[in-house]
Amino acid sequence: MTYTFENSSPEVIFDYLRKAKTVAVVGLSNRPETSSFMVTQALQADGYRIFPVNPRLVGQEILGEKVFARLQDIPEHIDIVDVFRRSEFLPDVARDFIETDADVFWAQQGLENQEAEQILRDHDRHQIVMDRCIKVEYAYSGLRQEKE
């Protein structure tokens, strides 16, 4: 049997987005043609404060923000951790996530991992979204109209 993550209702996911002010983006690329860059740029334009996480780019800036090596290095509260790493790396990100006080673990469209889900749930971290694009969910949420 193939694993498929079951997301919360759209209303719950939209509520995560409504409450969030900060988004750490794990695997953010500095190349403007990548999905991670375009999605993060859109989130930033919609008013979210972003924290790039990419160990290969530490010491640089992406979209005007300092790049961190790990989630644990971010000195502020993180509302959403948005992950742009292949599914097999999600357990590693989940282990980093549980070492922070971040609220929502979000794996981008096409990404899901049963072990990562189990790690999060074993640590009583149940605000999980997998296989959903945060930019698309934001567009469907109606939040843009609420902010205008």
Side-chain angles (χ1 to χ4, degrees):
M1 189 162 151
T2 304
Y3 169 77
T4 302
F5 179 79
E6 187 168 328
N7 280 296
S8 298
S9 70
E11 292 77 22
V12 169
I13 292 173
F14 298 162
D15 196 49
Y16 295 159
L17 292 167
R18 183 174 290 107
K19 290 177 180 173
K21 306 251 183 295
T22 58
V23 180
V25 185
V26 177
L28 179 57
S29 173
N30 59 356
R31 296 186 336 260
E33 68 274 11
T34 64
S35 296
S36 66
F37 188 95
M38 289 184 274
V39 167
T40 304
Q41 188 174 43
L43 289 173
Q44 194 178 48
D46 285 324
Y48 292 100
R49 172 127 188 256
I50 60 125
F51 296 99
V53 179
N54 187 326
R56 290 179 291 161
L57 300 175
V58 171
Q60 299 180 34
E61 287 189 358
I62 301 175
L63 295 166
E65 297 291 342
K66 171 185 170 185
V67 179
F68 294 91
R70 312 174 315 141
L71 288 172
Q72 299 93 317
D73 297 335
I74 298 171
E76 297 179 39
H77 177 75
I78 306 161
D79 297 313
I80 297 174
V81 173
D82 187 22
V83 185
F84 283 90
R85 303 260 348 255
R86 292 193 319 259
S87 292
E88 63 262 29
F89 295 114
L90 292 180
D92 294 333
V93 180
R95 287 183 196 95
D96 287 347
F97 180 92
I98 62 174
E99 291 184 23
T100 72
D101 67 347
D103 298 324
V104 179
F105 182 94
W106 191 305
Q108 276 295 128
Q109 190 165 355
L111 304 177
E112 59 185 9
N113 182 289
Q114 189 170 11
E115 181 185 357
E117 178 186 3
Q118 194 61 54
I119 289 166
L120 295 164
R121 294 202 189 280
D122 285 349
H123 288 85
D124 206 28
R125 306 298 277 278
H126 301 287
Q127 295 183 80
I128 306 167
V129 178
M130 290 195 195
D131 192 22
R132 292 284 187 273
C133 176
I134 196 168
K135 180 180 172 186
V136 170
E137 296 300 319
Y138 182 85
Y140 286 143
S141 72
L143 288 171
R144 185 170 291 127
Q145 288 77 19
E146 286 180 22
K147 289 182 178 181
E148 291 174 355

